[in-house]
Amino acid sequence: MTPQLGTQQVSGQQLNGKVALVTGSSRGIGRGIARRLASAGATVVVTARSSTPSPSVRNGEELLISGTLDETVRLIEEAGGAALAITADLENPEQRDRLVENVVDAAGGIDILVNNAGFADYSSVEDMSVATFDRTIEHYLKVPFILSQRAIPHMRRNGAGWIVNIGSSTGLSPIRPFREYNKTSGDVIYASAKAAQHRFTQGLAAELLDDNIAVNAVGPSTAIMTPGAEALLPAGYETEPVDYLAQTVLEMCTLPAAGRTGLVAFSLHYPWATGTPVLSVDGRTELPPLEPPAWANPHIVPAGV
């Protein structure tokens, strides 16, 4: 039987007194990360473009995907955590530029920034519209740049801070010989943006090391079945629970920058390689170690690079 353990006993409330902002946290990966950080003691500010389900654009069509900020807040509070919701459309320059200040005003500060928001829109390079290209770069590079830029002065005044960007194994070199997925998925621009985000992470980590602000990236080792990703995954594709990624994000928020910064780590590989216990997103159940599958991208460095 899997042990059921109180959050205080297992997680040690490592983030007590910390304020975390998690973007794109009305559903999916962002919701899982928000719940895990809250279970470790952080006050979590969750954000998305609307407090109700709102349409996202894929292949030129609007899709309404389930999940709300209020649901995320309710799940956190039901587990004994603290959370508040702030709506912000990160494609809107004014709302984007004010988000960090709004978090500081509402929660009293910001210690942790998790850049998770984004909506992947796949298309072959030949067929992709310039609008989709621009939106992809904006979601995965420009927005993390702007939010990090706004958060850094607050973290510097605090004497410490943690920035985590949600990466992707697609940002690593593809497996050779090329798989059918690489030939047909249309992920080239998304993957290129994620590769740039990985490099942004490592470069920013160097810039902020002496300020004790850690900057790391965490991506799924395989894929996580979320409402937004479901349409992009081939039928029968093996996925992983969000808990392992959420735990790996938490690990990136617990040490000073001198102890852990500049890593590009992956959800199954990192806990497996480091022997890190993985807890469910509510912090109460210790999950079994999960070995990365043999078919995962071989360019992943198990303990991060």
Side-chain angles (χ1 to χ4, degrees):
M1 179 178 178
T2 304
Q4 299 283 330
L5 299 154
T7 304
Q8 182 74 28
Q9 177 183 347
V10 178
S11 69
Q13 297 285 281
Q14 304 102 307
L15 303 185
N16 242 357
K18 300 291 192 294
V19 174
L21 168 61
V22 182
T23 66
S25 42
S26 61
R27 59 181 183 248
I29 290 174
R31 174 181 287 181
I33 293 169
R35 295 181 67 190
R36 185 67 188 96
L37 298 185
S39 74
T43 296
V44 179
V45 181
V46 296
T47 187
R49 71 166 65 92
S50 172
S51 58
T52 58
S54 58
S56 297
V57 177
R58 179 173 286 156
N59 294 327
E61 298 180 0
E62 288 193 346
L63 302 175
L64 192 64
I65 298 177
S66 62
T68 69
L69 293 176
D70 289 344
E71 290 169 359
T72 302
V73 170
R74 176 177 54 79
L75 287 167
I76 290 172
E77 291 179 342
E78 286 177 351
L84 58 119
I86 296 178
T87 57
D89 182 352
L90 297 180
E91 293 184 21
N92 180 306
E94 183 178 347
Q95 294 183 33
R96 182 174 62 209
D97 290 346
R98 281 290 308 164
L99 177 58
V100 168
E101 292 303 324
N102 289 342
V103 170
V104 172
D105 291 344
I110 183 169
D111 302 282
I112 297 165
L113 167 64
V114 180
N115 287 306
N116 167 74
F119 191 70
D121 192 356
Y122 287 7
S123 172
S124 68
V125 170
E126 182 179 9
D127 295 333
M128 179 174 283
S129 69
V130 172
T132 297
F133 176 92
D134 288 344
R135 188 166 58 248
T136 302
I137 300 303
E138 182 170 44
H139 284 189
Y140 298 114
L141 197 59
K142 185 175 183 179
V143 169
F145 161 76
I146 290 173
L147 295 185
S148 298
Q149 194 175 60
R150 300 295 188 273
I152 287 166
H154 297 282
M155 294 178 177
R156 183 180 288 117
R157 282 194 291 270
N158 294 342
W162 295 266
I163 298 171
V164 183
N165 299 313
I166 300 307
S168 171
S169 63
T170 64
L172 305 176
S173 297
I175 297 170
R176 303 296 184 97
F178 293 132
R179 300 169 297 165
E180 192 62 27
Y181 170 86
N182 299 109
K183 298 176 185 178
T184 61
S185 68
D187 76 346
V188 172
I189 301 306
Y190 170 83
S192 299
K194 286 295 186 179
Q197 190 187 73
H198 295 170
R199 181 60 181 84
F200 168 75
T201 297
Q202 294 172 321
L204 185 59
E207 289 186 357
L208 298 179
L209 176 62
D210 292 341
D211 293 306
N212 193 30
I213 299 173
V215 189
N216 295 286
V218 175
S221 291
T222 58
I224 295 171
M225 184 63 75
T226 67
E230 187 173 2
L232 300 175
L233 298 176
Y237 191 88
E238 184 181 341
T239 59
E240 64 187 71
V242 71
D243 311 76
Y244 293 82
L245 183 140
Q247 181 70 45
T248 305
V249 170
L250 172 59
E251 297 304 316
M252 301 301 145
C253 303
T254 56
L255 288 183
R260 185 181 293 132
T261 197
L263 290 180
V264 177
F266 291 88
S267 54
L268 301 182
H269 291 75
Y270 185 85
W272 182 262
T274 59
T276 300
V278 174
L279 305 184
S280 56
V281 292
D282 63 7
R284 295 186 178 277
T285 304
E286 186 167 355
L287 303 181
L290 191 56
E291 184 175 9
W295 53 266
N297 192 313
H299 301 298
I300 292 175
V301 176
V305 61

